Amino acid sequence: MRTFDGACDVRFFTASGDRYNTYAQYRRKDISGARNTLDLTIGPNHLTSRNRIYHLTINEKDLQLDMTLKGVLPEYQFGNGRVFFYEDRSAEWNIRFNAPRAIANGVLTVDGKSLSLDGDGYHDHVWSTIKLPTFAAKWYSLRFYDERFSIILHQIHLTDTFGGGQICAGIIGDKDKLIPVRRFLYQPLKWRKEKTSGLQIPQELLVSIKTDDYTINGTIKEARFLDSIDVLGQLSWPVRTAIKAFYTKPYMIRYQARCDIHLTDRDGFQHNLSGLGVVGTNY
């Protein structure tokens, strides 16, 4: 019942509210990659990495993109990046922050228009040896950048089968200095029903982080909804129906958020950070 082996899915949102998407499916013969470095080709699309510089080209019929990410913060993994499950440690979940903060440059061409991709960029890679809904009930994330500081948070709420606790993985960036964070509070304060998924999502969250170098407290409030992605939507309907009979609705929901954050550094200097970030809620 498998209908394809890989896909290219691009979603682009402008500051004025315009949205551009492209989606294409490819078979195995159209896909190739290197073993020991990032050099991936899917159809007419190509992604490479060398010396913390990532280069992505998309050449679909209705959308073309040429973008470079140059790392500002160094790449990072907590330990070896793995969280083990089961008594025999036979299953694992991994996250790698390939580019926690990067300088983005490039151009997206669509509908005869060229749109700048210059700004801040981010890239991570997450993988696991068991299906995500098996151990993750929900997953909240945050990306926020101002001129000096970066705040990246990932908080996974485990299912009851796996103890109902949390996996927290975060990063504070101060210019090009990276501080890993494994304990923080990222707590929903207000909720609303999201139309496409029918799920309750947090529209306001409280953030609290304390490290040896920084104390951070603030609120994150939904400012502009971006999208709700049915993770299984790309599968053929028989496969999708069978999987949904065993798992809850797997959705990725994202919005821009107004971030008002108070940061105190180890020297006692206070910084009031305010601006837009991106919140992700995965179910």
Side-chain angles (χ1 to χ4, degrees):
M1 294 194 295
R2 185 178 66 188
T3 56
F4 64 98
D5 297 298
C8 175
D9 188 345
V10 178
R11 298 162 191 257
F12 184 80
F13 309 88
T14 68
S16 60
D18 295 328
R19 170 176 173 161
Y20 302 100
N21 299 341
T22 189
Y23 178 79
Q25 299 177 354
Y26 293 97
R27 302 306 298 266
R28 190 170 300 277
K29 64 181 179 62
D30 304 309
I31 302 171
S32 63
R35 286 182 176 272
N36 300 316
T37 186
L38 178 56
D39 189 342
L40 175 67
T41 299
I42 301 180
N45 312 303
H46 194 203
L47 173 64
T48 61
S49 171
R50 186 176 182 181
N51 298 326
R52 292 174 57 196
I53 298 176
Y54 295 84
H55 185 216
L56 172 66
T57 56
I58 302 292
N59 287 297
E60 297 295 341
K61 181 179 180 181
D62 54 348
L63 183 150
Q64 297 80 47
L65 179 150
D66 191 321
M67 181 175 70
T68 299
L69 291 179
K70 184 177 182 180
V72 174
L73 289 172
E75 58 188 25
Y76 190 80
Q77 279 188 196
F78 290 91
N80 59 14
R82 295 184 289 178
V83 175
F84 290 100
F85 297 110
Y86 304 125
E87 291 184 2
D88 62 359
R89 298 165 67 87
S90 60
E92 62 185 65
W93 172 84
N94 304 260
I95 184 168
R96 179 178 178 84
F97 297 94
N98 301 77
R101 181 171 187 163
I103 297 171
N105 298 108
V107 175
L108 180 142
T109 303
V110 62
D111 292 345
K113 295 181 288 187
S114 294
L115 304 172
S116 173
L117 299 175
D118 295 354
D120 294 311
Y122 172 83
H123 171 43
D124 69 26
H125 182 51
V126 176
W127 68 101
S128 64
T129 60
I130 56 174
K131 296 180 178 66
L132 191 62
T134 303
F135 67 90
K138 50 194 173 184
W139 181 345
Y140 303 142
S141 64
L142 171 68
R143 296 196 302 275
F144 172 79
Y145 306 115
D146 85 335
E147 186 174 345
R148 173 177 171 179
F149 294 101
S150 310
I151 300 174
I152 312 295
L153 302 179
H154 288 273
Q155 183 186 74
I156 297 179
H157 293 250
L158 299 175
T159 59
D160 291 341
T161 303
F162 285 80
Q166 296 177 6
I167 300 172
C168 293
I171 285 173
I172 300 171
D174 187 346
K175 297 181 180 177
D176 60 355
K177 177 185 176 184
L178 182 148
I179 301 93
V181 182
R182 288 305 304 266
R183 295 184 179 180
F184 53 80
L185 180 69
Y186 191 38
Q187 179 179 328
L189 299 176
K190 294 182 181 179
W191 301 80
R192 73 169 180 86
K193 185 176 181 179
E194 195 280 313
K195 293 180 180 178
T196 302
S197 65
L199 297 169
Q200 292 288 326
I201 66 170
Q203 61 179 163
E204 181 176 346
L205 300 104
L206 175 70
V207 173
S208 183
I209 310 169
K210 186 172 180 58
T211 72
D212 293 339
D213 297 313
Y214 303 96
T215 299
I216 296 173
N217 292 287
T219 56
I220 314 298
K221 298 180 180 180
E222 182 179 1
R224 183 173 71 132
F225 182 78
L226 295 177
D227 60 3
S228 178
I229 304 172
D230 182 353
V231 177
L232 303 180
Q234 59 184 269
L235 302 178
S236 61
W237 74 264
V239 177
R240 184 168 63 248
T241 301
I243 293 176
K244 285 192 173 183
F246 296 97
Y247 296 111
T248 56
K249 298 178 181 179
Y251 274 87
M252 297 175 58
I253 301 166
R254 295 176 290 190
Y255 59 77
Q256 279 188 311
R258 170 59 60 182
C259 302
D260 293 298
I261 297 170
H262 183 76
L263 182 151
T264 304
D265 63 29
R266 68 182 307 163
D267 297 318
F269 291 106
Q270 298 183 355
H271 308 265
N272 292 315
L273 315 179
S274 182
L276 292 175
V278 176
V279 169
T281 62
N282 300 337
Y283 297 89

